[in-house]
Amino acid sequence: MWDAISEKLQDAEKIVFVTGAGISQESGIPTFRGKEGLWRKYDPMQLATIDAFYQDPKLVWEWYEERRRNILDAKPNPGHLAIAELGKYKNVHVLTQNIDSLHQRAGSKNVYELHGSIITIKCTVCSFKDKITTGFSQLPPLCKCGNMLRPDVVWFGEALPQDVWEHAMKQASTCDIMIVVGTSLAVSPANLLPVYAKQNGATMVEANTDPTPMSDIMDISLRESAASALPRLVNIVSG
C-alpha cells in the first residue's frame, strides 16, 4: 500500500486535502459525531441554527465562547504540520470543514474554510466582519451599528460562502491526488468534493480510523490517525 502511495506522490504535482474534525481531535478539540462528540452533549438545533441564535443568542454565544477558548488553547498536531510541510514540495491545497484555523497556524498557505471560522465575527445586519482578539464584556456582543454580532460560521440550513465553495470545487476538480482526512463525509455539500476529484481521475486516498460512506471510491485507505499517517507522506516526498 505504501509503495503505491509513494509512486503516486512522487509523480503528483497538485495534492488536495479534505479535512474534518478527526484531524483536530488529536489537538484536543472534540468532534461532533464521535463517541465523545459535542452533539451528544447538546442539541445542535438549539445551538447551530439561525433560528436558535435569534431565540436565545446569549446561550449560543456562551457555547461558542467556550469552544473558541478551547480552540485557541489547542496547538496544531503532527497531522496539521505534515500537511504544511508537504506544501514545501508540492502544490498543496486544503479544503477544510473545520472552523479552528489550525491549518493556518501550522503554516499551510492555501486553506479554504468551507464552514467559516470561529475566530471571526460578523454583523447580523451590516457588512462588518473582523477577527476576535479578546473576550466580550457582554453577550451577545453588539456591532457599532447596534445590531447583534454572530460567529462567522456556517450553521445548519445556511449556504456555504459562495466564493470559498467555488474555489473548493475548482481545486477538487483539478488535483492529481485527493487525500481525505478525519471526516465522516456525512455533511453536504462538502461530501461532493471527493466525487469531483474522482471524476477528474485523481488518485483517492483516505486517512481515517474508521470507514466512511465513501470508502468504496477510495483507491487507498489508511486506517490510521492523521498524526500517524501524514508525517510519512512528507518522508516520501522529501526523500
Side-chain angles (χ1 to χ4, degrees), residues 53-227:
F53 177 71
Y54 281 117
Q55 182 176 343
D56 196 340
K58 186 172 185 292
L59 171 66
V60 172
W61 260 111
E62 286 174 346
W63 189 61
Y64 274 93
E65 278 292 271
E66 181 180 346
R67 290 187 64 201
R68 183 170 68 89
R69 285 192 294 269
N70 176 251
I71 283 170
L72 291 176
D73 287 340
K75 295 186 181 347
N77 63 59
H80 297 106
L81 296 171
I83 293 174
E85 184 70 14
L86 198 60
K88 298 178 181 178
Y89 303 95
K90 300 288 183 177
N91 180 14
V92 172
H93 296 257
V94 182
L95 317 179
T96 187
Q97 295 171 278
N98 298 333
I99 60 174
D100 52 42
S101 297
L102 285 177
H103 284 297
Q104 293 94 320
R105 287 163 59 188
S108 288
K109 304 300 182 185
N110 304 313
V111 181
Y112 304 87
E113 295 176 309
L114 301 174
H115 294 162
S117 171
I118 200 170
I119 59 174
T120 306
I121 50 174
K122 65 180 181 181
C123 183
T124 52
V125 176
C126 77
S127 60
F128 174 80
K129 182 183 290 191
D130 200 4
K131 299 288 185 184
I132 303 173
T133 56
T134 61
F136 300 105
S137 59
Q138 66 175 37
L139 294 177
L142 299 179
C143 180
K144 291 180 180 180
C145 73
N147 292 288
M148 285 190 295
L149 295 168
R150 56 165 283 182
D152 187 21
V153 298
V154 177
W155 284 329
F156 290 115
E158 294 183 325
L160 272 58
Q162 190 60 32
D163 58 336
V164 175
W165 177 241
E166 288 176 359
H167 283 300
M169 288 190 295
K170 179 180 178 181
Q171 305 310 327
S173 300
T174 56
C175 64
D176 300 309
I177 299 177
M178 174 172 281
I179 304 176
V180 179
V181 184
T183 172
S184 64
L185 293 174
V187 177
S188 178
N191 58 6
L192 295 175
L193 295 171
V195 177
Y196 297 142
K198 186 75 171 180
Q199 290 173 341
N200 184 55
T203 298
M204 306 297 294
V205 180
E206 67 174 355
N208 243 358
T209 54
D210 299 307
T212 74
M214 290 194 178
S215 291
D216 288 345
I217 75 167
M218 298 294 160
D219 298 302
I220 300 169
S221 293
L222 305 174
R223 291 287 165 253
E224 301 179 43
S225 69

Side-chain angles (χ1 to χ4, degrees), residues 28-48:
I29 299 174
T31 67
F32 288 99
R33 291 176 174 80
K35 294 178 181 178
E36 301 300 324
L38 291 175
W39 280 171
R40 297 181 181 273
K41 299 178 183 178
Y42 302 96
D43 179 357
M45 303 313 290
Q46 291 182 359
L47 298 168

